[in-house]
Amino acid sequence: MSKKELKSVDYGLEKIFEDAQDFLPLLGTDYVEFYVGNAKQAAHFYKSAFGFQSYAYKGLETGCKEYASYVVVQDKIRIVLTTPLNSKSPINDHIVKHGDGVKVTALWVEDARKAWEETTSRGAKSFMEPTVEKDEHGEVVRAGVYTYGETVHMFVERKNYSGAFLPGYTSWESEYNPEPVGLKFIDHMVGNVGWNEMDVWVKWYEDVMGFVNFLSFDDKQIHTEYSALMSKVMSNGNGRIKFPINEPAEGKKKSQIEEYLDFYEGPGVQHIAVATDDIITTVSKLRARGIEFLSTPPEEYYRAVPQRLRDHDHELAEDIETLRSLGIMIDADEEGYLLQIFTKPVEDRPTLFFEIIQRMGAKGFGAGNFKALFESIEREQEKRGTL
Ligand code: FE2
């Protein structure tokens, strides 16, 4: 065991970032909605490969003629996969332009009307005015505002609702229920924005959402021989919602952020980091089910790990050979260490991917791994001819 008592980080409801403002209290992430070309097949992928469970459904059978939505869950993570049912739906326009991707990050609130009023009065562009939806289980109030690109934050108030997901959905029972892989909750979600736009969006999250910038990485820290990026991490007051924001930076070759912006045709969600408390089991299962990860860092990376941890007075509880065989990376800071690994993009356009993360005390984002990670991403960019 480690010298210091290292445990998974549990951010309580208490305010941990003193500069954050209280006008928008957020209880957590409610759901993430993807717009996809074929929701039925996407739902199957998230079940069979990522271990999500069938949960709720909306579509022709429930009287919705415009689109079909499949909701899948794993512990606290809810993913909604939505596809349009005719060519006139605006959902099509989104898919034509961006490909499959994240449309909505829904945030769980006590009062959705107030959340919408507080944010729109501070300059947020409305996506959906406060709307009450009802069924026999009660009512849900939702309201939405645009963030970067065409991405939306939806505020969800469900204190008067006892149904499974949202009014209009039916529970989705399936005979195919693959085992979960141990994914627990969304740790953070990263957005890519355009050249010189990072600080614009940092200010937006500060002014409109009351978030604070608690970590920054500039292009001197995040670069390889070829490409660079800059990143600032925004958090709400209780630390439950963390949105790092990246922008590309000049390098010898094309930044991975620029590659994303080219293929997504604008700003959007780059990756969703999902937490596990047993990354070895989780990644073993994901690999067995066909999830592809970025290439494993070289031998010398793993040889340097024990010293990197000792520098911060920590000891690794896991077997390093096992971590190496699975391609899991390790980073440390004063408070502990973290284990992380990144998937390849989960669609054909090199856009959205997932991160699997296990925090053993550390509250960072793996800055010590950026170089190894980016070299790995560049090997993929090289294969795509986009470096
Ligand atoms: Fe991340």
Side-chain angles (χ1 to χ4, degrees):
M1 267 309 287
S2 52
K3 292 175 197 164
K4 293 177 190 172
E5 197 50 33
L6 298 182
K7 293 185 295 192
S8 296
V9 175
D10 184 17
Y11 291 99
L13 253 184
E14 77 278 14
K15 189 167 172 174
I16 58 173
F17 296 107
E18 284 303 321
D19 298 337
Q21 295 175 58
D22 284 333
F23 61 81
L24 185 62
L26 301 174
L27 303 170
T29 306
D30 196 284
Y31 64 87
V32 181
E33 182 171 20
F34 295 54
Y35 282 177
V36 298
N38 187 331
K40 178 177 261 199
Q41 290 187 5
H44 189 80
F45 169 78
Y46 283 99
K47 285 173 64 176
S48 60
F50 277 100
F52 282 84
Q53 307 297 302
S54 300
Y55 190 59
Y57 169 79
K58 181 177 186 176
L60 291 173
E61 296 83 351
T62 67
C64 179
K65 295 189 168 57
E66 294 300 309
Y67 58 90
S69 291
Y70 293 76
V71 188
V72 293
V73 298
Q74 189 160 183
D75 206 323
K76 293 192 175 67
I77 311 163
R78 275 197 288 235
I79 292 179
V80 183
L81 300 148
T82 295
T83 205
L85 293 173
N86 62 64
S87 64
K88 291 172 195 70
S89 167
I91 300 168
N92 272 302
D93 304 336
H94 199 278
I95 297 169
V96 167
K97 186 169 171 64
H98 303 296
D100 288 6
V102 173
K103 175 63 180 177
V104 177
T105 304
L107 303 168
W108 178 28
V109 296
E110 265 301 296
D111 186 340
R113 290 179 186 89
K114 181 169 182 289
W116 184 84
E117 277 155 18
E118 294 283 1
T119 48
T120 53
S121 71
R122 286 173 169 80
K125 182 181 157 198
S126 178
F127 170 74
M128 186 173 98
E129 288 186 13
T131 305
V132 181
E133 295 156 298
K134 292 181 185 182
D135 67 10
E136 69 271 29
H137 304 292
E139 65 171 51
V140 170
V141 188
R142 288 192 302 158
V145 296
Y146 281 97
T147 172
Y148 44 76
E150 294 194 274
T151 316
V152 166
H153 289 318
M154 190 76 87
F155 303 115
V156 183
E157 172 190 329
R158 49 171 74 255
K159 59 177 182 281
N160 298 315
Y161 193 66
S162 61
F165 182 56
L166 292 174
Y169 282 80
T170 183
S171 67
W172 172 25
E173 309 277 343
S174 172
E175 282 173 24
Y176 177 62
N177 303 298
E179 281 277 293
V181 299
L183 303 178
K184 300 279 184 194
F185 59 88
I186 294 178
D187 184 275
H188 60 277
M189 281 183 68
V190 181
N192 283 343
V193 299
W195 291 93
N196 307 313
E197 283 182 6
M198 178 179 67
D199 285 328
V200 174
W201 289 101
V202 165
K203 191 164 163 32
W204 188 90
Y205 275 101
E206 286 171 349
D207 294 349
V208 173
M209 303 279 282
F211 281 36
V212 285
N213 171 214
F214 78 103
L215 268 178
S216 299
F217 309 99
D218 67 21
D219 53 344
K220 285 169 204 68
Q221 289 164 285
I222 314 184
H223 72 283
T224 63
E225 191 191 344
Y226 291 139
S227 70
L229 65 80
M230 298 200 277
S231 188
K232 288 188 176 176
V233 184
M234 305 306 294
S235 175
N236 77 321
N238 62 25
R240 287 192 169 193
I241 309 293
K242 290 184 287 305
F243 293 144
I245 301 168
N246 298 332
E247 73 173 22
E250 287 295 348
K252 265 194 210 166
K253 295 199 176 180
K254 186 181 267 193
S255 166
Q256 54 173 288
I257 309 305
E258 197 180 355
E259 184 200 35
Y260 175 101
L261 295 169
D262 286 352
F263 280 92
Y264 199 69
E265 299 192 17
V269 174
Q270 180 211 34
H271 75 268
I272 303 173
V274 286
T276 170
D277 51 24
D278 180 1
I279 198 167
I280 289 173
T281 301
T282 298
V283 172
S284 302
K285 286 183 175 171
L286 291 171
R287 283 195 180 277
R289 294 173 186 200
I291 293 294
E292 296 176 319
F293 292 94
L294 290 174
S295 54
T296 302
E299 290 262 352
E300 56 268 31
Y301 170 90
Y302 288 95
R303 274 201 297 273
V305 162
Q307 189 57 48
R308 275 172 66 197
L309 268 83
R310 276 197 297 273
D311 288 346
H312 290 287
D313 216 19
H314 308 311
E315 253 173 68
L316 197 62
E318 295 75 14
D319 173 42
I320 192 146
E321 264 315 300
T322 309
L323 296 175
R324 195 184 67 81
S325 70
L326 291 167
I328 296 165
M329 298 191 290
I330 303 99
D331 194 21
D333 60 23
E334 293 70 39
E335 294 167 291
Y337 65 91
L338 62 80
L339 304 164
Q340 64 183 171
I341 189 168
F342 297 85
T343 72
K344 290 184 182 178
V346 291
E347 56 288 298
D348 291 295
R349 295 195 200 189
T351 53
L352 178 76
F353 58 89
F354 284 85
E355 171 183 350
I356 314 299
I357 184 167
Q358 181 180 352
R359 293 188 181 277
M360 299 296 283
K363 291 184 178 139
F365 293 84
N369 287 327
F370 285 163
K371 191 167 159 48
L373 171 65
F374 292 176
E375 283 166 354
S376 185
I377 290 175
E378 281 164 16
R379 285 194 286 276
E380 299 295 324
Q381 277 184 279
E382 182 88 67
K383 285 185 216 158
R384 296 194 281 261
T386 60
L387 187 59

